[in-house]
Amino acid sequence: GGRFIHHDGGVEENFHRLESTLSSADAVICQAGCINHRAYWQVKDYCKKTGKTCIYARTPSVNAFDIALREIAAE
C-alpha cells in the first residue's frame, strides 16, 4: 500500500529538489553510505525539524531496506 519515491542526494538529480521530495514522503529511509555529506545533513535536519520518521540504513542492501521498512511499519 505504499509508493516508493527516490532521490539520489544530488548525484544525478538536482540537489535543490531534495527538500520537496522529502516533504512528499510519509517516512524516509536514508542509505547514509550512498549519499554525500551535504545531502545526509539536509535529510537529517529536515526530518528533525518536521518530526518525520527517518531510518538510517548503514548498508545499501535489500536486507537493510527490508529492516528499515519493518521499523517504519512498527511505528
Side-chain angles (χ1 to χ4, degrees):
R3 184 174 69 125
F4 179 77
I5 302 170
H6 173 267
H7 192 285
D8 66 10
V11 175
E12 292 183 17
E13 295 183 57
N14 188 330
F15 178 79
H16 301 292
R17 290 186 36 225
L18 179 56
E19 190 165 320
S20 66
T21 302
L22 292 169
S23 69
S24 65
D26 294 323
V28 176
I29 298 172
C30 179
Q31 290 188 326
C34 296
I35 62 172
N36 64 42
H37 287 91
R38 181 178 175 201
Y40 171 85
W41 287 108
Q42 183 169 353
V43 168
K44 186 171 182 152
D45 291 344
Y46 180 85
C47 290
K48 183 178 179 181
K49 177 178 72 175
T50 62
K52 194 165 290 214
T53 298
C54 186
I55 305 297
Y56 297 93
R58 288 189 165 86
T59 59
S61 68
V62 173
N63 187 50
F65 187 72
D66 182 54
I67 291 168
L69 286 174
R70 290 175 192 270
E71 287 183 44
I72 290 168
E75 289 188 3

